[in-house]
Amino acid sequence: MLSSRPMEHGMPDDSKTVAVDSDANLNAGRACGVIITDKCEQLSNPVDRLIVEGTYPGPPFIELIGLPYSLWDAYRETFRNKLGITLTNRVRHWYWAISEQSTDSELPYANRCSHVEPTDDLFLQDRFASGFDAKQRNVIVKTIVKDSPEEQINVYLSQCGELYDRRAFACVLPPIAIVRTPHRFSFLVTPLWGYRFCTDYVDTVQGVMDFIRCMLTGLSFLHEHRIAHRDIHDGNILADWYCYHSFEEDIRQQEFRRHLRSKSISYALYDFNLSLQLPPGTSLKTCRRPACEGFLGMAIYHPDDIYLGQPYYNPFAYDVGCLGFMFVHNLTDAISAVPMLAPLFGKMTTHIVDERFTAAEALEFFRRVEAETSPETLKSSITLQPNYHRMHDPQLYWCHTSPEFQSMWNSHRPPPFSWRLRLLRWIGSITYGFEVIAFVRRILDV
């Protein structure tokens, strides 16, 4: 992960400190430390937001993959006694048991399926663990690099009240606790949320609109706080519902669709290990960062902003382009029912970066579209069929609208590539072509 400019706020200054007898706990072979508790605002759904500094009775762990199971055992007492979180057991490699008594919860916690008991264990990579809090709400614990941008961003998010208010939830998965150690790692605790967005589960226009609204709300919130996500793809989006029947696809689809129809579902962006937070006054329109940073993360939805040898790129516009291409890839079939989605997608993905919507502009545009969509249209059935080629040919999604509509909204349609851009794309496809273009543009600073 590339290092980025450290955030200026650091850890909370106005903290209450409670001392713990470290020597006694170390001699007993348990984790111990000092608790630093953030000042909590009076929220409609108050949650404990804790930062715990502890010690591990053993050598430091620098590598955050392949962590030994003994690490989690060493911190069980700290999680249970200081945070009220009980870690479950790892039943086999990469699989953890889940609490069987998890209850329905309000945001930022998720709801589980209606099955009485789980029928499968939870698959997690080595750097993750499963647990539950005093109210039997399932949580996930992740090891992260200490003092990294990921930790600093999560500390910042822990102070954002709207992430803990179900009525104003900003569609970003918030931290529940951050456990800091004297070594090179920390623990990040978040609510357990469900599966990433899957087109097979969404069968109404309303389901599509809910997803778009949540994603634009979350990205607009991050950008308002000058956080560039930089790794937007299907796997970094979660739903506030999960099911234990991981090997019974029909049951999971049926239960998920029932949840979609019973209430408005929430989706959230998460995973900030590649993210960057810039100073508050940074312009969302003219921000420039080294283009090499744009190659981070999964490339499936990356726009051309960095692939033509550009020396710099705008990470905020890049986020919007990635999200727009994800919409184009997955949701184009909804345009026949809601034609105004075509100009929205077009202005989010145009290769003319200066003309691309900001996340806030896209959200405002979408809200007008949603307000003008009839209840009958929202209830109508739909079948989504993802198509990768639509991201490279706007005509493949604009063709779902009438010629008159296309003429009316032509200003929101991505223009054809100029001869210059076509030439750069051709040269970049040749062996060593990209390196040559990047070198020349870096020298000329263009």
Side-chain angles (χ1 to χ4, degrees), residues 30-50:
R30 296 192 298 265
C32 62
V34 175
I35 305 176
I36 303 177
T37 306
D38 291 346
K39 288 180 63 178
C40 293
E41 297 86 2
Q42 296 298 319
L43 304 175
S44 61
N45 182 27
V47 295
D48 293 329
R49 283 170 285 164
L50 304 174

Side-chain angles (χ1 to χ4, degrees), residues 17 20 23 34 53 77 87 150 187 308 333 429 433:
T17 303
V20 177
D23 293 336
V34 175
E53 294 189 354
E77 292 299 320
L87 297 181
E150 180 177 16
F187 295 108
L308 301 178
D333 295 297
S429 66

Side-chain angles (χ1 to χ4, degrees), residues 189-257:
V189 185
T190 63
L192 171 62
W193 274 43
Y195 307 94
R196 65 184 186 181
F197 176 77
C198 180
T199 54
D200 292 338
Y201 296 169
V202 179
D203 58 359
T204 65
V205 173
Q206 181 68 70
V208 172
M209 303 296 272
D210 287 340
F211 178 72
I212 295 176
R213 184 192 331 103
C214 288
M215 290 299 93
L216 290 177
T217 298
L219 190 60
S220 179
F221 171 85
L222 291 177
H223 288 186
E224 178 186 355
H225 295 275
R226 298 308 186 264
I227 299 172
H229 190 282
R230 304 202 299 183
D231 193 21
I232 293 178
H233 59 85
D234 311 70
N236 281 340
I237 298 169
L238 298 176
D240 67 337
W241 181 91
Y242 55 94
C243 178
Y244 295 127
H245 286 265
S246 61
F247 296 112
E248 298 183 36
E249 184 71 18
D250 292 340
I251 294 179
R252 192 167 64 204
Q253 284 193 27
Q254 179 182 358
E255 291 290 329
F256 188 79
R257 286 172 175 169

